[in-house]
Amino acid sequence: MGHESGDPNFLLHLDRVFAGISFRIFDKGEDVYRNRHWAFTLGWARPYLLELLPDALGAQINSCQVDPLVDCAAIGEDRIVVYNGQTREEAFTFSIPKAREINIRKLRTLCAKELDVQYRKRFTHYELIENRGVRVFFEDGTTEEGDIAVGVDGAMSKMRHCLLGPDATPDILPFALMNFNASYTAEQALFIKERLHPLVDIAIHPAGHYIRTNVLDMPNPNDASTWTFQILSTWAFKSVEDYDNETDRLKRLKAHAKRDGWAEPYKSAIEWIPDDTLVLKDQLKIWKPVKWDNQGGRVTLCGDAAHSMTFHRGQGANNAFYDSYCFVEAMKAVKAGTPLNQAVSEYDEMILKRGIEEVQISKSQTFFTHDWENFVNSPVIKLGTRPSHAAKTEGYQ
């Protein structure tokens, strides 16, 4: 039940090799650090991520935690707790075995150690090459060719738009969204972190306001003034300003929290945010997949590009890793003799079926999350943090 998102990259079957499959990665970002920065909860997809990483990198996955020193499983806190934001009482709990709260920038940096990622490559369109595959075009005027191009370019996927036109447009849900990073004085940071759940802290105020808080970066574990926190908050549209979504975003968040009355540490975590903290414009978007034409197995989608879901059940990143695993399995089948068109079409069918289901479940969870009295009827009560599909899991009941 946290924030996740796929990375905006493009994967082409070219010169690097994994499991006997050659590839090349193109990223629209300036570098590995990018601008936006967040954490996500790595749960049931952990085995799939580890199968995709070389052993030496997989062994370092815990170093990508927001707090590398915490082991929630060892202390019996590998669980999601949903707190009543007004009282700080534990309202609901869900097991999430061996869970880790992962800093996306740390993971991206770790993976890039053994990858030749080409940055500042903003995709514009593709064209098929007769009997030779596909050519992709970038804003800088360069092109690349490969057997298959995979759009892994996020909720506003340009590749998806090329494949589907207007049908690729996401839906915007009627909720205000604030997702940003905040820093505090050393004393404030210690006060907040000491009171947060060690995995990720999630609270819902009965007035219909959701706040997710976690430490994001700890450059110096002994100096809390260097720490950064992620704050993720949503509520149903309540004012003209919420609909306009442009100005005074932090001021509105503070006003909502003050009006409703929050327990600690949420009260102080919001109140103490420096007024000059950047809170970019955001919208809560989803895209329930529709069948796309994979151009004879030459073009497809993965991750948020294939199914953009809300984060209130915490399934986006886990499904994206599972997508990647499934795509690699499809390419292994091609290496073993399965025709490319067949392998990609079977991959697409699986992604489509799972994506439709997961997007709808997460959308439903978002509405229940802002309806405290009916939260007990929400999908997360039935499913917890388990996948809704047949992926293997680690210790889930």
Side-chain angles (χ1 to χ4, degrees):
M1 297 177 68
H3 179 68
E4 307 94 2
S5 181
D7 280 340
N9 299 324
F10 283 91
L11 173 68
L12 281 103
H13 175 94
L14 283 173
D15 64 349
R16 297 283 293 179
V17 177
F18 173 75
I21 306 160
S22 55
F23 65 92
R24 187 175 294 173
I25 295 176
F26 302 93
D27 192 315
K28 70 178 181 181
E30 289 294 313
D31 52 37
V32 72
Y33 298 105
R34 306 235 188 106
N35 295 323
R36 300 301 291 267
H37 189 25
W38 64 87
F40 66 89
T41 307
L42 180 61
W44 60 262
R46 179 176 173 271
Y48 299 104
L49 174 59
L50 292 177
E51 287 195 38
L52 293 171
L53 293 174
D55 291 343
L57 294 186
Q60 301 176 57
I61 193 72
N62 291 349
S63 69
C64 297
Q65 290 188 124
V66 296
D67 181 352
L69 302 180
V70 70
D71 184 340
C72 287
I75 61 175
E77 289 293 349
D78 52 344
R79 62 189 184 126
I80 293 291
V81 179
V82 177
Y83 296 97
N84 181 320
Q86 189 173 34
T87 65
R88 183 57 179 180
E89 295 173 326
E90 290 190 15
F92 308 97
T93 63
F94 313 97
S95 174
I96 183 165
K98 300 183 181 180
R100 304 282 179 175
E101 193 64 19
I102 299 295
N103 177 312
I104 186 65
R105 185 173 290 168
K106 289 182 180 178
L107 179 61
R108 189 185 295 129
T109 303
L110 176 68
C111 293
K113 285 182 179 180
E114 297 191 12
L115 294 173
D116 180 20
V117 180
Q118 297 190 42
Y119 295 100
R120 296 177 293 282
K121 291 290 187 179
R122 191 174 291 272
F123 169 81
T124 60
H125 63 286
Y126 72 85
E127 66 179 22
L128 300 182
I129 309 170
E130 188 174 359
N131 300 321
R132 286 172 47 205
V134 60
R135 179 182 295 117
V136 295
F137 295 77
F138 300 101
E139 281 188 359
D140 62 6
T142 61
T143 64
E144 296 285 347
E145 296 180 9
D147 296 326
I148 178 171
V150 187
V152 197
D153 50 335
M156 297 300 292
S157 171
K158 180 68 174 179
M159 179 67 86
R160 185 174 75 218
H161 181 78
C162 289
L163 286 170
L164 289 166
D167 288 340
T169 304
D171 293 325
I172 300 173
L173 300 186
F175 297 92
L177 168 63
M178 310 283 176
N179 180 31
F180 60 97
N181 305 154
S183 297
Y184 304 92
T185 68
E187 294 75 17
Q188 292 170 342
L190 285 168
F191 176 91
I192 295 167
K193 187 176 185 301
E194 288 171 355
R195 288 162 177 78
L196 294 178
H197 189 276
L199 181 63
V200 61
D201 200 285
I202 295 170
I204 302 173
H205 195 287
H209 191 171
Y210 165 98
I211 293 179
R212 174 196 191 276
T213 312
N214 57 272
V215 66
L216 181 61
D217 277 311
M218 299 175 66
N220 183 347
N222 299 314
D223 182 359
S225 69
T226 68
W227 301 352
T228 302
F229 292 75
Q230 179 186 1
I231 294 177
L232 178 60
S233 183
T234 54
W235 64 85
F237 286 158
K238 297 178 183 295
S239 66
V240 172
E241 289 77 17
D242 286 341
Y243 280 95
D244 288 345
N245 194 33
E246 293 288 349
T247 59
D248 297 327
R249 291 173 59 74
L250 179 57
K251 183 179 178 180
R252 282 191 284 131
L253 173 61
K254 289 188 175 187
H256 277 296
K258 183 176 181 179
R259 179 201 63 201
D260 294 336
W262 282 76
E264 295 290 4
Y266 316 107
K267 175 181 181 295
S268 294
I270 299 301
E271 182 180 314
W272 291 339
I273 299 169
D275 289 338
D276 61 352
T277 299
L278 181 63
V279 183
L280 295 173
K281 177 180 177 180
D282 258 323
Q283 294 175 309
L284 199 57
K285 299 175 181 176
I286 64 171
W287 185 71
K288 184 186 290 187
V290 296
K291 186 175 178 60
W292 58 84
D293 180 358
N294 63 31
Q295 306 292 329
R298 299 301 182 181
V299 185
T300 193
L301 302 171
C302 185
D304 282 2
H307 39 60
S308 305
M309 62 192 73
T310 56
F311 45 79
H312 293 101
R313 203 174 79 85
Q315 298 299 303
N318 286 282
N319 272 286
F321 290 130
Y322 187 49
D323 286 355
S324 299
Y325 170 84
C326 292
F327 178 76
V328 170
E329 291 301 298
M331 294 302 99
K332 287 180 180 178
V334 173
K335 293 287 289 186
T338 301
L340 180 65
N341 184 28
Q342 176 184 335
V344 175
S345 294
E346 290 173 353
Y347 162 83
D348 286 354
E349 183 178 354
M350 178 170 50
I351 296 298
L352 179 68
K353 180 180 178 181
R354 173 162 47 87
I356 290 172
E357 181 179 27
E358 288 283 359
V359 171
Q360 184 58 42
I361 290 172
S362 292
K363 176 183 177 181
S364 176
Q365 184 60 51
T366 293
F367 281 86
F368 276 110
T369 294
H370 299 87
D371 183 359
W372 182 253
E373 290 185 358
N374 289 313
F375 190 88
V376 293
N377 299 313
S378 68
V380 78
I381 297 298
K382 177 180 178 181
L383 293 170
T385 59
R386 301 188 305 274
S388 66
H389 42 85
K392 63 185 177 185
T393 58
E394 287 190 318
Y396 287 76
Q397 303 297 321

